[in-house]
Amino acid sequence: EDQVTQSPEALRLQEGESSSLNCSYTVSGLRGLFWYRQDPGKGPEFLFTLYSAGEEKEKERLKATLTKKESFLHITAPKPEDSATYLCAVQGHTNAGKSTFGDGTTLTVKP
Amino acid sequence: NAGVTQTPKFQVLKTGQSMTLQCAQDMNHEYMSWYRQDPGMGLRLIHYSVGAGITDQGEVPNGYNVSRSTTEDFPLRLLSAAPSQTSVYFCASSPGTGSTEAFFGQGTRLTVV
């Protein structure tokens, strides 16, 4: 059974204070690992897909990295508008495209 | 381009009532799915479909039915609502099943009293 654990549950940062969110996973043959952003009262919004260990992707102040056991979402010099819940999900080769989601990390950036 | 549209946005049901949550996408995506999200938790897969006429169960299918008669529509039916089904429901679509990103609707907030 695929499993995803995200930490911390909540993270409070000052504007400009860089940090990282963690996503640990177990999956039988990784097809893809996804990061989504979810604002209150909205549906998740896609950020990144990572496919293999060593892969990195960047978008503005966000950078996602992947190892064989975990993924990190690095946030550099965050702004208040980066405040949201960040969700991690995995798809395994044995699950025909079904995604398993973690519980998310709620990020609050104070000005 | 509307993307994924869910209706209604809010609904209150009495225990035992039935209803259908609507989901439509205009991106010609093959893969569609329904998730529920409970407070402080991630998304749990209820049912999914890899194409018109094909559906399958996800992690938490009990109490829900789906059908996929067209590529665009994927309704979720609650047969006899229970308080445990109080949740936020999200519909999503993807171009295919091969590690592609999902596009989500805005959600339906359901309360069963």
Side-chain angles (χ1 to χ4, degrees), chain A residues 78-90:
Chain A
K79 299 182 177 182
E81 53 262 42
D82 294 320
S83 297
T85 295
Y86 291 85
L87 298 170
C88 174
V90 295

Side-chain angles (χ1 to χ4, degrees), chain A residues 3-102:
Chain A
Q3 288 189 327
V4 177
T5 302
Q6 291 188 245
S7 61
E9 288 184 15
L11 182 63
R12 297 171 67 91
L13 299 174
Q14 288 296 127
E15 184 172 2
E17 179 187 2
S18 301
S19 188
S20 297
L21 282 55
N22 178 263
C23 171
S24 297
Y25 65 91
T26 56
V27 65
S28 179
L30 180 70
R31 294 183 76 176
L33 182 142
F34 306 88
W35 283 99
Y36 291 87
R37 169 190 172 128
Q38 186 176 24
D39 292 303
K42 301 283 183 68
E45 178 184 350
F46 171 77
L47 292 174
F48 304 109
T49 305
L50 301 168
Y51 295 100
S52 59
E55 189 174 1
E56 299 182 353
K57 290 195 175 171
E58 289 188 63
K59 180 180 180 179
E60 296 180 358
R61 295 176 293 282
L62 301 177
K63 183 169 82 171
T65 62
L66 181 65
T67 72
K68 289 186 178 179
K69 293 183 179 181
E70 57 192 352
S71 176
F72 292 94
L73 185 64
H74 307 277
I75 303 176
T76 302
K79 299 182 177 182
E81 53 262 42
D82 294 320
S83 297
T85 295
Y86 291 85
L87 298 170
C88 174
V90 295
Q91 283 185 13
H93 283 291
T94 58
N95 274 338
K98 292 186 285 186
S99 292
T100 299
F101 281 80

Side-chain angles (χ1 to χ4, degrees), chain A residues 1 30-32 34 36 38 41-46 49 51 87 91 95-104, chain B residues 31 35 37 40-45 48 50 57-59 90 97-107 109:
Chain A
E1 182 179 332
L30 180 70
R31 294 183 76 176
F34 306 88
Y36 291 87
Q38 186 176 24
K42 301 283 183 68
E45 178 184 350
F46 171 77
T49 305
Y51 295 100
L87 298 170
Q91 283 185 13
N95 274 338
K98 292 186 285 186
S99 292
T100 299
F101 281 80
D103 290 344
Chain B
Y31 186 88
Y35 292 88
Q37 186 175 38
M41 297 180 69
L43 301 164
R44 290 185 292 170
L45 183 65
Y48 67 99
V50 299
Q57 296 181 350
E59 180 186 355
F90 289 101
T97 59
S99 299
T100 54
E101 66 193 81
F103 296 81
F104 284 84
Q106 292 295 297
R109 185 174 295 273

Side-chain angles (χ1 to χ4, degrees), chain A residues 1-2 95-101, chain B residues 31-36 43-50 54-66 74 76:
Chain A
E1 182 179 332
D2 300 344
N95 274 338
K98 292 186 285 186
S99 292
T100 299
F101 281 80
Chain B
Y31 186 88
M32 296 186 74
S33 52
W34 275 102
Y35 292 88
R36 61 176 288 172
L43 301 164
R44 290 185 292 170
L45 183 65
I46 305 172
H47 285 287
Y48 67 99
S49 168
V50 299
I54 306 170
T55 63
D56 205 348
Q57 296 181 350
E59 180 186 355
V60 288
N62 292 341
Y64 307 95
N65 272 358
V66 293
F74 191 44
L76 177 72

